[in-house]
Amino acid sequence: QVQLVESGGGLVQGGGSLRLSCAASRRTSGNYAVAWFRQAPGKEREFVAAITWTFGDAYYADSVKGRFTISRDSARNTVYLQMNSLKPEDTAVYYCAARFGVLSTTQITTITGYDYWGQGTQVTVSS
């Protein structure tokens, strides 16, 4: 079992920045990916970004490319999501999630199969 805890959400004006953190409760071995998803009111949860722990390969949704950066800190068992140039449409609850195994790009960027989830953190971007 792995517990994930998100932090760093808040209220920011459009064009501003926030950094989200996702801390894992313990070190894990093997191949796995950590991803950020978000869910806006009345919408389905959608993929935002992901990173593979072993090699640090990063994946992004088209809507956030060039604005968001995902990274990891092995010593702290933490994944970060740096969000710049925020827009009102980025407003959502952001969740981090993890899944284990040797994963394809499709598996990494698809919500199905992520077994471990954090509680979510609210990001609100004002216009």
Side-chain angles (χ1 to χ4, degrees):
Q1 279 286 67
V2 175
Q3 291 183 327
L4 303 174
V5 179
E6 302 101 332
S7 61
L11 173 65
V12 64
Q13 283 192 330
S17 299
L18 283 174
R19 188 178 79 159
L20 305 183
S21 300
C22 173
S25 58
R26 63 176 180 85
R27 292 184 184 275
T28 56
S29 59
N31 298 306
Y32 62 98
V34 178
W36 287 95
F37 294 86
R38 67 185 181 187
Q39 189 166 19
K43 295 188 176 181
E44 292 187 353
R45 196 169 297 188
E46 64 177 3
F47 171 77
V48 176
I51 190 165
T52 59
W53 197 261
T54 302
F55 297 108
D57 296 325
Y59 303 80
Y60 297 96
D62 288 343
S63 59
V64 306
K65 277 181 184 175
R67 300 188 299 123
F68 291 10
T69 302
I70 191 169
S71 62
R72 73 200 191 297
D73 184 332
S74 300
R76 290 182 168 83
N77 294 333
T78 300
V79 170
Y80 302 100
L81 185 67
Q82 178 66 43
M83 306 186 296
N84 298 328
S85 302
L86 282 162
K87 305 174 182 179
E89 51 263 45
D90 295 317
T91 295
V93 178
Y94 284 69
Y95 299 89
C96 70
R99 67 177 297 180
F100 292 82
V102 178
L103 305 169
S104 67
T105 298
T106 299
Q107 289 174 314
I108 290 169
T109 59
T110 303
I111 191 171
T112 305
Y114 276 87
D115 300 313
Y116 302 96
W117 290 84
Q119 81 287 354
T121 185
Q122 176 71 46
V123 171
T124 303
V125 184
S126 63
S127 56

